[in-house]
Amino acid sequence: LLRLMLAGDEEALALLYRRRQAAVYRFALQMSGSKTIAEDVTQEVFLFLMRDGHVFDPARGALSAFLLGVARNHVLRRLRVEKLLAPLGDDADEDVPSVHATSDICPLEDLARAETIESVRKAVLSLPPKYREVVVLCELQDVSYVETAEILGCAIGTVRSRLHRARALLLEKLRPAAEVE
């Protein structure tokens, strides 16, 4: 599809976009916490692909890993430019889809579940970027360690150690909330 797209086939571009857009968007949203940034980054990734898709080398990895790597670079650049590491203020709730009650039987359980999900989301967003990206890729996007290493441009051992440290940081951040209950 990429070859066809680069040759000017608009249908190939549309199909490629439909197949890959959601994963790129989810990654950007989970890394930034901002719907606006995620939308912008997704658009920038596909514009980059149309303009510079020829730099993709299938011998170095899968197209999905390449796209997430491009998205990573755009998210990190955007966060640096805006000096925004994690939107945890009042506007954060507007940017990330909220969790709605799923059951009329026990609204208290639904509320507790929504609060827990929100606490975890905030904890992930508060991680330093190098830890946040391994959590987002490995835990939330289900990307393999090998592909995560390709995306981040590091060794698999580095991915494992960052993920281990990220999990420890998340436990620290979430422990006070668990002890209150």
Side-chain angles (χ1 to χ4, degrees):
L1 282 177
L2 181 60
R3 265 194 312 267
L4 291 171
M5 183 205 75
L6 291 173
D9 186 337
E10 290 180 22
E11 286 194 33
L13 169 62
L15 185 56
L16 189 59
Y17 181 82
R18 279 195 302 273
R19 287 185 182 175
R20 305 294 182 183
Q21 171 271 337
V24 171
Y25 176 82
R26 270 192 317 274
F27 172 77
L29 179 63
Q30 291 166 335
M31 280 297 294
S32 68
S34 168
K35 184 178 175 183
T36 303
I37 290 175
E39 290 169 352
D40 290 349
V41 166
T42 302
Q43 181 178 357
E44 290 166 7
V45 166
F46 285 93
L47 287 172
F48 173 85
L49 191 63
M50 289 187 305
R51 217 177 24 252
D52 298 311
H54 61 278
V55 301
F56 169 68
D57 180 5
R60 294 187 61 202
L63 180 62
S64 58
F66 175 78
L67 293 175
L68 291 177
V70 173
R72 172 187 180 249
N73 292 336
H74 282 281
V75 167
L76 293 176
R77 185 176 310 120
R78 182 77 178 263
L79 293 177
R80 260 193 315 271
V81 166
E82 295 186 13
K83 295 181 180 153
L84 171 73
L85 290 178
L88 298 178
D90 293 334
D91 63 337
D93 294 334
E94 296 172 16
D95 287 345
V96 178
S98 62
V99 178
H100 298 287
T102 57
S103 167
D104 293 333
I105 297 170
C106 190
L108 191 57
E109 283 181 19
D110 289 339
L111 179 61
R113 185 178 324 112
E115 287 175 354
T116 301
I117 290 169
E118 184 62 16
S119 296
V120 171
R121 184 187 73 77
K122 286 182 178 182
V124 169
L125 285 171
S126 71
L127 290 173
K130 72 180 184 179
Y131 298 122
R132 185 182 333 151
E133 59 196 10
V134 294
V135 169
V136 169
L137 289 167
C138 295
E139 301 292 349
L140 302 178
Q141 297 276 335
D142 284 330
V143 175
S144 72
Y145 289 0
V146 172
E147 282 187 312
T148 298
E150 289 173 15
I151 292 166
L152 302 180
C154 64
I156 294 173
T158 302
V159 169
R160 288 189 174 119
S161 67
R162 285 181 184 173
L163 190 55
H164 178 76
R165 179 68 180 136
R167 287 175 178 153
L169 288 170
L170 285 172
L171 282 175
E172 271 179 44
K173 291 174 185 300
L174 295 171
R175 183 164 287 131
E179 290 172 359
V180 170
E181 294 174 11

